[in-house]
């Protein structure tokens, strides 16, 4: 087995801003696992919020032994970007060696398209209204918020896209007081989900608060080990492959979350179609699919995922799986 890691940069169609900062490109790591003349590929996005860099994740992958199985990988690396890229590459390798699609190997039904959210970047109310109007044809919009002055932004987006379903991602940017003040207005404006309103380390306040709109754990939930602390605080779990450390743990987390009474959202970092491809399997039938990374790019992989009025489609085998 030989593992190859390359750094790839995908320019964004426009500057993308959240409460933590802005970016104009997506920097990703592409992992290719070569064995027996067959190659499997995966992609990850190292995330500074979780203490990851391109260098640190590359180092984690370089430290792997010469041979290991996908099951063995779960104990060799922690949940995170490095394990994600390798895990997904191994799934792809297994599919190509067997001549089967990944969903057949995983015992899953053949996937179909899923309506995905489209994310509006954090900006002035005027600009966010313009973004919303430009994308008002989309059935589901996700708004990046997370400042003390978000009410005018939310009003502006609803005015720009009066018929779209809206979800909010605060990216840990609100205090308990801000969230409590905004909650009634979220109902009034037809918001259907709020993602990570409070910082992950300061979310105990949610346990005693009314949640008129379902609250989704993102930074507060990486893998199954985090589920036990979510009770009474969250209604939905956002599963991202870069948090779980790959499709293997993500599928297990989805099943465990449902058994625990949580709804499921499947999200992504800003990456290419190769990063989204495994997540399309995970997203089948979930409450919210948020796999719009490729829609935010100016350039994508050679065999990108298909997006149309039916949503994001599962990958062709030339891309992944």
């Amino acid at each position: 087995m030989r593992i190859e890691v390359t750094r790839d940069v995908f320019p964004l169609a426009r500057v993308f801003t959240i409460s933590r900062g802005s970016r104009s490109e997506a920097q990703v790591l592409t992992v290719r696992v070569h064995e027996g003349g067959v190659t499997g590929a995966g992609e990850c996005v190292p995330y500074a919020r979780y203490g990851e860099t391109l260098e640190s994740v590359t180092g984690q992958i370089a430290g792997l032994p010469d041979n290991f199985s996908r099951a063995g990988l779960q104990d060799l690396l922690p949940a995170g970007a490095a394990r994600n890229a390798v895990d997904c590459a191994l799934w792809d390798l297994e599919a190509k060696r067997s001549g089967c699609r990944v969903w057949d190997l995983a015992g899953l039904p053949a996937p179909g398209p899923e309506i995905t959210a489209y994310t509006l970047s954090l900006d002035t109310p005027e600009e966010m209204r313009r973004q919303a109007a430009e994308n008002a044809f989309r059935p589901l919009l996700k708004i990046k918020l997370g400042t003390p002055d978000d009410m005018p932004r939310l009003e502006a987006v609803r005015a720009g896209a009066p018929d779209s379903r809206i979800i909010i991602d605060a990216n840990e940017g609100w205090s308990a007081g801000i969230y409590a003040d905004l909650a009634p207005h979220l109902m009034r404006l037809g918001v259907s989900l709020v993602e990570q309103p409070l910082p992950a380390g300061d979310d105990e306040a949610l346990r005693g608060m009314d949640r008129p709109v379902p609250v989704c754990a993102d930074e507060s939930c990486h893998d199954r080990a985090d589920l036990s602390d979510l009770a009474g605080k969250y209604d939905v779990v956002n599963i991202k492959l870069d948090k779980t450390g790959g499709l293997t743990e993500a599928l297990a987390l989805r099943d465990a979350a449902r058994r625990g009474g949580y709804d499921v959202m499947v999200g992504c970092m800003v990456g290419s179609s190769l990063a989204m491809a495994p997540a399309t399997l995970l997203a089948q039938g979930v409450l919210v699919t948020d796999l719009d990374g490729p829609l935010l790019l100016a350039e994508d992989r050679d065999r990108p995922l298909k997006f149309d009025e039916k949503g994001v489609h599962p990958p062709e085998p030339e891309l992944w799986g």
Side-chain angles (χ1 to χ4, degrees):
M1 180 186 293
R2 180 173 64 86
I3 300 178
E4 174 190 4
V5 182
T6 59
R7 300 185 186 188
D8 293 307
V9 178
F10 295 91
L12 303 187
R14 54 165 290 155
V15 174
F16 186 75
T17 301
I18 66 173
S19 59
R20 297 191 190 101
S22 301
R23 71 180 73 177
S24 59
E25 59 187 21
Q27 299 186 40
V28 311
L29 292 177
T30 305
V31 170
R32 294 178 177 86
V33 178
H34 308 276
E35 188 174 47
V38 180
T39 299
E43 178 185 313
C44 68
V45 181
Y47 200 43
R49 168 64 179 81
Y50 305 137
E52 297 173 334
T53 65
L54 293 165
E55 293 76 17
S56 71
V57 171
T58 300
Q60 284 182 290
I61 297 170
L64 288 169
D66 291 338
N67 285 286
F68 53 89
S69 66
R70 182 169 50 80
L73 173 67
Q74 310 309 305
D75 296 321
L76 292 172
L77 288 175
R83 195 175 77 189
N84 173 36
V86 179
D87 180 81
C88 291
L90 290 174
W91 276 107
D92 189 36
L93 181 71
E94 291 175 45
K96 287 179 168 55
R97 291 179 68 174
S98 66
C100 298
R101 299 308 306 267
V102 162
W103 48 86
D104 294 322
L105 296 176
L108 300 171
E114 291 283 338
I115 293 294
T116 180
Y118 180 82
T119 305
L120 304 184
S121 179
L122 179 66
D123 212 311
T124 64
E126 296 75 20
E127 174 58 22
M128 293 188 75
R129 177 171 180 158
R130 189 199 66 76
Q131 289 183 58
E134 187 178 291
N135 291 281
F137 67 94
R138 300 183 188 275
L140 178 60
L141 295 178
K142 176 174 172 176
I143 314 172
K144 287 291 189 179
L145 297 177
T147 78
D149 304 308
D150 281 335
M151 198 63 227
R153 293 184 173 96
L154 180 54
E155 296 270 13
V157 169
R158 176 48 82 199
D163 298 323
S164 297
R165 183 179 168 209
I166 290 177
I167 60 177
I168 288 174
D169 185 1
N171 279 120
E172 305 180 279
W174 291 342
S175 65
I178 291 172
Y179 171 66
D181 289 342
L182 286 176
H185 299 288
L186 304 182
M187 289 284 291
R188 175 175 61 84
L189 292 168
V191 173
S192 58
L193 183 88
V194 179
E195 197 178 340
Q196 200 68 46
L198 308 186
D202 193 28
D203 60 0
E204 277 299 313
L206 290 173
R207 207 182 294 277
M209 297 179 78
D210 289 335
R211 300 194 300 276
V213 172
V215 177
C216 178
D218 183 3
E219 285 84 354
S220 290
C221 184
H222 289 238
D223 59 14
R224 283 173 290 173
D226 294 323
L227 282 176
S228 61
D229 191 48
L230 303 184
K233 297 189 290 187
Y234 295 98
D235 311 290
V236 185
V237 171
N238 187 354
I239 303 177
K240 295 177 179 175
L241 298 180
D242 276 316
K243 291 190 303 176
T244 64
L247 181 62
T248 301
E249 173 61 22
L251 290 169
L253 173 58
R254 184 185 66 176
D255 293 345
R258 284 172 166 166
R259 288 195 300 270
Y262 299 97
D263 280 317
V264 172
M265 173 179 181
V266 172
C268 65
M269 306 302 185
V270 182
S272 81
S273 284
L274 179 58
M276 308 300 126
T280 62
L281 279 65
L282 188 67
Q284 298 299 298
V286 302
L287 180 68
V288 174
T289 297
D290 179 24
L291 298 177
D292 63 342
L295 298 177
L296 306 177
L297 303 180
E299 301 173 11
D300 197 359
R301 301 282 177 176
D302 290 339
R303 299 297 294 264
L305 290 174
K306 177 183 176 182
F307 291 83
D308 61 18
E309 69 280 356
K310 295 180 181 179
V312 54
H313 290 252
E316 296 298 324
E318 292 83 1
L319 174 67
W320 184 87

